[in-house]
Amino acid sequence: FCMKTRTVLLIVFGFSLSSSVYLAGWKAILLFVALLVLFYVKFKRGGVGLALPFDPSGYILPLPSSSILPSSDGPPSLPHKSGEAVFFRVRDVHNFRELGGYPTLASGGGVGNSRMKRFMVYRCGEFGHLSKEGSEFMSNNLAIKTIVDFRSPSERKRTPMRSTPTSVVHDLHLPIYNDQNRFKRTFAFLSTLFFNRTGIPQLYRELYRVFLDGGASNYGAFLKLFANENNYPIVFHCSAGKDRTGLGAALLLHVLGVPYDTILADYSQSTRCYSTYMKYYLKGRTFLVNSRWGIPAEELSAMFMVDPSWLDFSFKYLRDNYGSVSKYILSTGVTEEDLDKIRANLLS
């Protein structure tokens, strides 16, 4: 009975998640019916596999101690220790942090003994619940001029920005994940969630490949924004600010010649928001995810973090299929002249 209860509740959880995040209307209903059929077949053949719980802190890589030099200038940030990224408290926005201050390598495309300028680039999660207080902080303290939204058209329509900062001049939509084949992808995701949760990490690796191939032109348009000095400060985001945004940040850091271990550590900092993600995405569904009902939340952990191996997989994919990460970036429409301007604008 416990196994049946566990799986039925997961189906209900997945259905509610998919209908609010991915699908709506008759497609959501059709998906629900199909999952019930899959559950019946899977249960008759021996039940549902369970993933082992894990501690997400083991997936956070420390930034090199010399990565970000302290600064008395700039906006007030949250307290942070050596090895941690600089986060900001922007009310009702997840994972809002600076992307700057990192040293570069001349051999990696940067300028010897140079660093990224501070307070020019930020990354975060969606602004669908941005409060007036958060909007004022972005205008008055960060002076944000350009916002880049990586979300799909349906995501953007479902949770539009509530309060646009008055400092914003450009609010750009560059979807990395479009709505084509959404039903098929959602079905694959939820069937993995219900019947093979140990396969969630592999699903994310494959999703990153889809982001890089399908979103190449918009990743290129995103990078070209940094070639124009009039666009700064810039903030870019997706939904959680960890996957599509994480790839965008990694590509920008690569352009600037930031060492790969620093790129990887910066990417992993999103897992510091693990508990926030859990609370946000399980809000209103906690009755389905607790020990009393037999569905440990830890089994869903991979959905609320990032694993450095996912970025490793992505960069290896680019090397294997495009020749190098740099060649991939040039294939997106970015020119060598753009790269020179980006470095001139962001390195000091």
Side-chain angles (χ1 to χ4, degrees):
F1 175 77
C2 181
M3 184 64 71
K4 284 186 177 180
T5 302
R6 181 195 303 268
T7 307
V8 169
L9 289 175
L10 267 173
I11 288 176
V12 175
F13 165 73
F15 175 66
S16 65
L17 184 67
S18 66
S19 61
S20 62
V21 177
Y22 295 99
L23 301 171
W26 67 269
K27 288 187 176 181
I29 296 173
L30 181 60
L31 177 63
F32 180 56
V33 173
L35 287 171
L36 285 176
V37 173
L38 278 177
F39 157 68
Y40 177 80
V41 173
K42 184 71 176 180
F43 183 79
K44 287 296 184 180
R45 292 182 178 178
V48 179
L50 302 179
L52 295 175
F54 59 88
D55 179 4
S57 64
Y59 291 82
I60 303 174
L61 304 178
L63 288 161
S65 58
S66 62
S67 287
I68 303 177
L69 297 178
S71 173
S72 57
D73 301 324
S77 63
L78 293 172
H80 63 281
K81 302 176 183 177
S82 176
E84 296 180 355
V86 179
F87 287 82
F88 295 89
R89 179 176 284 115
V90 178
R91 188 172 177 179
D92 297 318
V93 179
H94 307 311
N95 198 12
F96 200 113
R97 53 191 170 101
E98 181 187 6
L99 193 68
Y102 297 143
T104 68
L105 295 173
S107 60
V111 179
N113 299 317
S114 64
R115 283 182 177 271
M116 284 186 69
K117 295 177 182 178
R118 297 290 307 273
F119 316 119
M120 297 280 280
V121 184
Y122 303 89
R123 49 170 295 180
C124 62
E126 67 180 15
F127 292 120
H129 303 284
L130 178 66
S131 64
K132 181 179 179 181
E133 177 185 332
S135 180
E136 291 176 349
F137 179 85
M138 290 175 63
S139 293
N140 301 334
N141 296 86
L142 305 181
I144 297 298
K145 189 176 288 186
T146 301
I147 294 177
V148 182
D149 187 349
F150 287 147
R151 295 177 301 165
S152 69
S154 60
E155 289 176 288
R156 186 176 169 93
K157 180 179 180 180
R158 188 162 41 250
T159 52
M161 183 181 293
R162 289 173 51 189
S163 178
T164 303
T166 57
S167 62
V168 170
V169 177
H170 310 290
D171 181 8
L172 305 175
H173 184 209
L174 299 175
I176 299 301
Y177 184 88
N178 59 46
D179 291 328
Q180 295 178 349
N181 298 319
R182 184 174 50 162
F183 181 76
K184 179 180 178 181
R185 292 171 183 169
T186 303
F187 186 82
F189 174 78
L190 293 179
S191 61
T192 300
L193 174 65
F194 300 144
F195 307 121
N196 181 26
R197 288 182 290 285
T198 57
I200 292 178
Q202 177 59 29
L203 198 66
Y204 270 94
R205 285 189 284 269
E206 289 301 314
L207 192 58
Y208 278 28
R209 180 184 59 78
V210 172
F211 291 159
L212 290 168
D213 287 338
S217 62
N218 279 344
Y219 271 135
F222 159 72
L223 291 173
K224 289 171 77 71
L225 291 171
F226 295 93
N228 187 339
E229 62 181 3
N230 295 319
N231 290 334
Y232 294 93
I234 299 173
V235 61
F236 56 100
H237 72 93
C238 52
S239 180
K242 68 186 186 73
D243 300 305
R244 288 164 287 189
T245 297
L247 286 175
L251 293 174
L252 177 61
L253 294 179
H254 177 84
V255 165
L256 297 173
V258 173
Y260 183 65
D261 61 341
T262 303
I263 295 175
L264 205 60
D266 176 86
Y267 166 81
S268 75
Q269 296 295 303
S270 289
T271 300
R272 295 192 184 280
C273 301
Y274 172 81
S275 60
T276 302
Y277 289 142
M278 287 278 281
K279 292 176 182 177
Y280 177 75
Y281 286 105
L282 298 181
K283 185 178 181 180
R285 305 180 181 96
T286 52
F287 73 98
L288 298 174
V289 188
N290 56 54
S291 57
R292 179 181 178 184
W293 289 96
I295 306 175
E298 290 80 3
E299 293 183 7
L300 307 175
S301 294
M303 296 170 57
F304 311 117
M305 55 164 281
V306 293
D307 184 334
S309 70
W310 301 349
L311 187 61
D312 275 335
F313 170 86
S314 300
F315 271 40
K316 182 179 185 301
Y317 174 77
L318 295 182
R319 290 192 297 270
D320 292 345
N321 291 272
Y322 292 87
S324 68
V325 178
S326 297
K327 288 182 179 178
Y328 166 79
I329 290 171
L330 291 173
S331 77
T332 66
V334 176
T335 66
E336 291 288 357
E337 182 181 2
D338 291 328
L339 297 178
D340 290 338
K341 290 180 179 179
I342 293 170
R343 293 166 187 146
N345 287 336
L346 281 177
L347 296 180
S348 61

